[in-house]
Amino acid sequence: MAVINAQSDVGISLYVKNSESKYVELIEIKSVPATGSAGGTLETTTLKSPKKTYIPDRPDTGDMDYTYNYTEENITKVKEYCDGDEHEFLVVYQDGSGFEYTGQAQTWINEVSVGSVVEATLHTVPSVAPTEKTSTEIETLLTA
């Protein structure tokens, strides 16, 4: 078995669970957001404290933005899931692993300038933090 030192961006896919509860590829994407970020802190220092003290703040599920090429077909596919309801999203990396989350979505066409491709953004707001999945778990989700 070959040792994998790193992964390329080639082949990363974005899926959404459709009305038949099956994951289907939504659109080809140009970027994938981070699955988390450093948590916030709350300062708890009192006047008697010789040093500042802190405690962790609540975890933040954040938001997750994907960039994609704007076409009428792509934006029509994405808008189907921008209905105010929560939907299940799945990102699959080159090695078959990935992450899954449930959230609401919005989309828009990005700014355009001379000599550029017209792009759009799929903005999702997870209701819970994304959950990392192994390649075996992803395979099960895609074949269910």
Side-chain angles (χ1 to χ4, degrees):
M1 183 173 185
V3 175
I4 297 175
N5 294 325
Q7 288 193 55
S8 165
D9 59 351
V10 175
I12 296 175
S13 300
L14 172 64
Y15 293 83
V16 66
K17 197 170 272 188
N18 66 14
S19 58
E20 289 128 25
S21 293
K22 293 192 179 288
Y23 274 113
V24 294
E25 188 170 6
L26 181 56
I27 51 166
E28 291 187 24
I29 52 177
K30 298 179 78 170
S31 66
V32 175
T35 60
S37 62
T41 55
L42 301 172
E43 185 177 345
T44 59
T45 310
T46 66
L47 293 174
K48 287 183 110 180
S49 300
K51 296 180 182 178
K52 287 187 174 186
T53 58
Y54 301 88
I55 60 172
D57 196 0
R58 296 173 189 90
D60 185 357
T61 58
D63 53 9
M64 304 186 78
D65 290 348
Y66 303 85
T67 305
Y68 62 96
N69 289 329
Y70 168 76
T71 65
E72 186 175 4
E73 180 182 2
N74 279 349
I75 205 154
T76 299
K77 284 181 182 179
V78 171
K79 280 184 176 181
E80 180 181 342
Y81 298 96
C82 299
D83 55 6
D85 292 336
E86 288 197 333
H87 298 280
E88 295 176 56
F89 295 93
L90 177 69
V91 171
V92 180
Y93 295 117
Q94 185 182 50
D95 70 350
S97 67
F99 63 91
E100 178 184 41
Y101 67 95
T102 300
Q104 293 181 335
Q106 300 173 337
T107 194
W108 57 80
I109 301 167
N110 296 345
E111 68 281 351
V112 181
S113 60
V114 173
S116 65
V117 171
V118 179
E119 295 179 332
T121 295
L122 168 60
H123 173 76
T124 63
V125 180
S127 54
V128 294
T131 305
E132 282 77 24
K133 301 288 184 184
T134 65
S135 57
T136 303
E137 292 171 315
I138 296 282
E139 186 177 333
T140 301
L141 289 170
L142 291 176
T143 57

PDB file of all heavy atoms in Angstrom, residues 68-84:
ATOM      1  N   TYR A  68     -18.237  28.618  -7.361  1.00  0.00           N
ATOM      2  CA  TYR A  68     -18.453  27.782  -8.540  1.00  0.00           C
ATOM      3  C   TYR A  68     -18.607  28.660  -9.769  1.00  0.00           C
ATOM      4  O   TYR A  68     -18.847  29.868  -9.656  1.00  0.00           O
ATOM      5  CB  TYR A  68     -19.668  26.860  -8.350  1.00  0.00           C
ATOM      6  CG  TYR A  68     -21.003  27.537  -8.142  1.00  0.00           C
ATOM      7  CD1 TYR A  68     -21.874  27.738  -9.222  1.00  0.00           C
ATOM      8  CD2 TYR A  68     -21.425  27.946  -6.881  1.00  0.00           C
ATOM      9  CE1 TYR A  68     -23.118  28.333  -9.039  1.00  0.00           C
ATOM     10  CE2 TYR A  68     -22.660  28.534  -6.692  1.00  0.00           C
ATOM     11  CZ  TYR A  68     -23.510  28.718  -7.771  1.00  0.00           C
ATOM     12  OH  TYR A  68     -24.740  29.312  -7.591  1.00  0.00           O
ATOM     13  N   ASN A  69     -18.415  28.061 -10.940  1.00  0.00           N
ATOM     14  CA  ASN A  69     -18.573  28.798 -12.189  1.00  0.00           C
ATOM     15  C   ASN A  69     -20.050  29.085 -12.406  1.00  0.00           C
ATOM     16  O   ASN A  69     -20.888  28.182 -12.323  1.00  0.00           O
ATOM     17  CB  ASN A  69     -18.036  28.002 -13.384  1.00  0.00           C
ATOM     18  CG  ASN A  69     -16.528  27.908 -13.375  1.00  0.00           C
ATOM     19  OD1 ASN A  69     -15.848  28.815 -12.906  1.00  0.00           O
ATOM     20  ND2 ASN A  69     -16.006  26.823 -13.900  1.00  0.00           N
ATOM     21  N   TYR A  70     -20.364  30.353 -12.677  1.00  0.00           N
ATOM     22  CA  TYR A  70     -21.752  30.720 -12.939  1.00  0.00           C
ATOM     23  C   TYR A  70     -22.162  30.263 -14.336  1.00  0.00           C
ATOM     24  O   TYR A  70     -21.509  30.588 -15.321  1.00  0.00           O
ATOM     25  CB  TYR A  70     -21.978  32.229 -12.839  1.00  0.00           C
ATOM     26  CG  TYR A  70     -23.332  32.610 -13.384  1.00  0.00           C
ATOM     27  CD1 TYR A  70     -24.479  32.374 -12.633  1.00  0.00           C
ATOM     28  CD2 TYR A  70     -23.472  33.121 -14.664  1.00  0.00           C
ATOM     29  CE1 TYR A  70     -25.728  32.676 -13.152  1.00  0.00           C
ATOM     30  CE2 TYR A  70     -24.726  33.433 -15.178  1.00  0.00           C
ATOM     31  CZ  TYR A  70     -25.845  33.195 -14.418  1.00  0.00           C
ATOM     32  OH  TYR A  70     -27.085  33.472 -14.924  1.00  0.00           O
ATOM     33  N   THR A  71     -23.201  29.476 -14.371  1.00  0.00           N
ATOM     34  CA  THR A  71     -23.943  29.169 -15.595  1.00  0.00           C
ATOM     35  C   THR A  71     -25.399  29.119 -15.174  1.00  0.00           C
ATOM     36  O   THR A  71     -25.712  28.920 -13.983  1.00  0.00           O
ATOM     37  CB  THR A  71     -23.561  27.813 -16.232  1.00  0.00           C
ATOM     38  OG1 THR A  71     -23.931  26.757 -15.331  1.00  0.00           O
ATOM     39  CG2 THR A  71     -22.079  27.727 -16.566  1.00  0.00           C
ATOM     40  N   GLU A  72     -26.290  29.286 -16.117  1.00  0.00           N
ATOM     41  CA  GLU A  72     -27.711  29.207 -15.783  1.00  0.00           C
ATOM     42  C   GLU A  72     -28.046  27.838 -15.194  1.00  0.00           C
ATOM     43  O   GLU A  72     -28.792  27.737 -14.218  1.00  0.00           O
ATOM     44  CB  GLU A  72     -28.554  29.475 -17.035  1.00  0.00           C
ATOM     45  CG  GLU A  72     -30.032  29.558 -16.743  1.00  0.00           C
ATOM     46  CD  GLU A  72     -30.860  29.937 -17.961  1.00  0.00           C
ATOM     47  OE1 GLU A  72     -30.307  30.067 -19.078  1.00  0.00           O
ATOM     48  OE2 GLU A  72     -32.069  30.103 -17.788  1.00  0.00           O
ATOM     49  N   GLU A  73     -27.435  26.787 -15.752  1.00  0.00           N
ATOM     50  CA  GLU A  73     -27.686  25.429 -15.252  1.00  0.00           C
ATOM     51  C   GLU A  73     -27.202  25.272 -13.807  1.00  0.00           C
ATOM     52  O   GLU A  73     -27.912  24.743 -12.957  1.00  0.00           O
ATOM     53  CB  GLU A  73     -27.002  24.405 -16.154  1.00  0.00           C
ATOM     54  CG  GLU A  73     -27.220  22.968 -15.700  1.00  0.00           C
ATOM     55  CD  GLU A  73     -26.491  21.960 -16.574  1.00  0.00           C
ATOM     56  OE1 GLU A  73     -25.774  22.353 -17.518  1.00  0.00           O
ATOM     57  OE2 GLU A  73     -26.637  20.759 -16.282  1.00  0.00           O
ATOM     58  N   ASN A  74     -25.974  25.750 -13.527  1.00  0.00           N
ATOM     59  CA  ASN A  74     -25.426  25.616 -12.172  1.00  0.00           C
ATOM     60  C   ASN A  74     -26.269  26.365 -11.143  1.00  0.00           C
ATOM     61  O   ASN A  74     -26.604  25.834 -10.088  1.00  0.00           O
ATOM     62  CB  ASN A  74     -23.989  26.124 -12.115  1.00  0.00           C
ATOM     63  CG  ASN A  74     -22.989  25.111 -12.620  1.00  0.00           C
ATOM     64  OD1 ASN A  74     -23.315  23.945 -12.835  1.00  0.00           O
ATOM     65  ND2 ASN A  74     -21.762  25.553 -12.832  1.00  0.00           N
ATOM     66  N   ILE A  75     -26.610  27.616 -11.437  1.00  0.00           N
ATOM     67  CA  ILE A  75     -27.337  28.402 -10.435  1.00  0.00           C
ATOM     68  C   ILE A  75     -28.749  27.858 -10.238  1.00  0.00           C
ATOM     69  O   ILE A  75     -29.288  27.885  -9.134  1.00  0.00           O
ATOM     70  CB  ILE A  75     -27.317  29.911 -10.743  1.00  0.00           C
ATOM     71  CG1 ILE A  75     -27.506  30.686  -9.426  1.00  0.00           C
ATOM     72  CG2 ILE A  75     -28.336  30.300 -11.782  1.00  0.00           C
ATOM     73  CD1 ILE A  75     -26.938  32.064  -9.407  1.00  0.00           C
ATOM     74  N   THR A  76     -29.343  27.298 -11.282  1.00  0.00           N
ATOM     75  CA  THR A  76     -30.668  26.681 -11.158  1.00  0.00           C
ATOM     76  C   THR A  76     -30.599  25.475 -10.227  1.00  0.00           C
ATOM     77  O   THR A  76     -31.459  25.298  -9.359  1.00  0.00           O
ATOM     78  CB  THR A  76     -31.215  26.277 -12.541  1.00  0.00           C
ATOM     79  OG1 THR A  76     -31.331  27.461 -13.331  1.00  0.00           O
ATOM     80  CG2 THR A  76     -32.563  25.596 -12.430  1.00  0.00           C
ATOM     81  N   LYS A  77     -29.559  24.636 -10.391  1.00  0.00           N
ATOM     82  CA  LYS A  77     -29.378  23.473  -9.512  1.00  0.00           C
ATOM     83  C   LYS A  77     -29.213  23.910  -8.052  1.00  0.00           C
ATOM     84  O   LYS A  77     -29.803  23.333  -7.146  1.00  0.00           O
ATOM     85  CB  LYS A  77     -28.152  22.663  -9.926  1.00  0.00           C
ATOM     86  CG  LYS A  77     -28.347  21.825 -11.141  1.00  0.00           C
ATOM     87  CD  LYS A  77     -27.052  21.066 -11.426  1.00  0.00           C
ATOM     88  CE  LYS A  77     -27.137  20.238 -12.669  1.00  0.00           C
ATOM     89  NZ  LYS A  77     -25.870  19.542 -12.937  1.00  0.00           N
ATOM     90  N   VAL A  78     -28.381  24.930  -7.840  1.00  0.00           N
ATOM     91  CA  VAL A  78     -28.097  25.386  -6.480  1.00  0.00           C
ATOM     92  C   VAL A  78     -29.331  26.015  -5.843  1.00  0.00           C
ATOM     93  O   VAL A  78     -29.644  25.757  -4.683  1.00  0.00           O
ATOM     94  CB  VAL A  78     -26.896  26.357  -6.476  1.00  0.00           C
ATOM     95  CG1 VAL A  78     -26.727  27.002  -5.120  1.00  0.00           C
ATOM     96  CG2 VAL A  78     -25.627  25.636  -6.890  1.00  0.00           C
ATOM     97  N   LYS A  79     -30.065  26.829  -6.592  1.00  0.00           N
ATOM     98  CA  LYS A  79     -31.237  27.525  -6.045  1.00  0.00           C
ATOM     99  C   LYS A  79     -32.296  26.566  -5.518  1.00  0.00           C
ATOM    100  O   LYS A  79     -33.054  26.920  -4.623  1.00  0.00           O
ATOM    101  CB  LYS A  79     -31.852  28.454  -7.090  1.00  0.00           C
ATOM    102  CG  LYS A  79     -31.120  29.763  -7.224  1.00  0.00           C
ATOM    103  CD  LYS A  79     -31.832  30.686  -8.196  1.00  0.00           C
ATOM    104  CE  LYS A  79     -31.157  32.030  -8.252  1.00  0.00           C
ATOM    105  NZ  LYS A  79     -31.827  32.949  -9.170  1.00  0.00           N
ATOM    106  N   GLU A  80     -32.336  25.356  -6.043  1.00  0.00           N
ATOM    107  CA  GLU A  80     -33.290  24.354  -5.550  1.00  0.00           C
ATOM    108  C   GLU A  80     -33.115  24.115  -4.052  1.00  0.00           C
ATOM    109  O   GLU A  80     -34.065  23.795  -3.351  1.00  0.00           O
ATOM    110  CB  GLU A  80     -33.099  23.045  -6.325  1.00  0.00           C
ATOM    111  CG  GLU A  80     -34.028  21.941  -5.896  1.00  0.00           C
ATOM    112  CD  GLU A  80     -33.805  20.647  -6.668  1.00  0.00           C
ATOM    113  OE1 GLU A  80     -33.180  20.667  -7.745  1.00  0.00           O
ATOM    114  OE2 GLU A  80     -34.265  19.611  -6.165  1.00  0.00           O
ATOM    115  N   TYR A  81     -31.885  24.292  -3.557  1.00  0.00           N
ATOM    116  CA  TYR A  81     -31.586  24.042  -2.140  1.00  0.00           C
ATOM    117  C   TYR A  81     -31.497  25.330  -1.321  1.00  0.00           C
ATOM    118  O   TYR A  81     -31.154  25.294  -0.147  1.00  0.00           O
ATOM    119  CB  TYR A  81     -30.300  23.217  -2.037  1.00  0.00           C
ATOM    120  CG  TYR A  81     -30.479  21.880  -2.711  1.00  0.00           C
ATOM    121  CD1 TYR A  81     -30.074  21.682  -4.029  1.00  0.00           C
ATOM    122  CD2 TYR A  81     -31.122  20.837  -2.060  1.00  0.00           C
ATOM    123  CE1 TYR A  81     -30.282  20.467  -4.665  1.00  0.00           C
ATOM    124  CE2 TYR A  81     -31.328  19.619  -2.686  1.00  0.00           C
ATOM    125  CZ  TYR A  81     -30.908  19.443  -3.990  1.00  0.00           C
ATOM    126  OH  TYR A  81     -31.125  18.238  -4.614  1.00  0.00           O
ATOM    127  N   CYS A  82     -31.817  26.463  -1.929  1.00  0.00           N
ATOM    128  CA  CYS A  82     -31.801  27.764  -1.250  1.00  0.00           C
ATOM    129  C   CYS A  82     -33.227  28.180  -0.927  1.00  0.00           C
ATOM    130  O   CYS A  82     -33.693  29.247  -1.332  1.00  0.00           O
ATOM    131  CB  CYS A  82     -31.117  28.810  -2.129  1.00  0.00           C
ATOM    132  SG  CYS A  82     -29.402  28.435  -2.504  1.00  0.00           S
ATOM    133  N   ASP A  83     -33.920  27.325  -0.206  1.00  0.00           N
ATOM    134  CA  ASP A  83     -35.354  27.504   0.034  1.00  0.00           C
ATOM    135  C   ASP A  83     -35.694  27.801   1.494  1.00  0.00           C
ATOM    136  O   ASP A  83     -36.850  27.793   1.881  1.00  0.00           O
ATOM    137  CB  ASP A  83     -36.111  26.255  -0.417  1.00  0.00           C
ATOM    138  CG  ASP A  83     -35.596  24.975   0.238  1.00  0.00           C
ATOM    139  OD1 ASP A  83     -34.726  25.052   1.135  1.00  0.00           O
ATOM    140  OD2 ASP A  83     -36.074  23.889  -0.141  1.00  0.00           O
ATOM    141  N   GLY A  84     -34.677  28.056   2.312  1.00  0.00           N
ATOM    142  CA  GLY A  84     -34.917  28.337   3.726  1.00  0.00           C
ATOM    143  C   GLY A  84     -34.969  27.099   4.589  1.00  0.00           C
ATOM    144  O   GLY A  84     -34.974  27.196   5.816  1.00  0.00           O
TER     145      GLY A  84
END
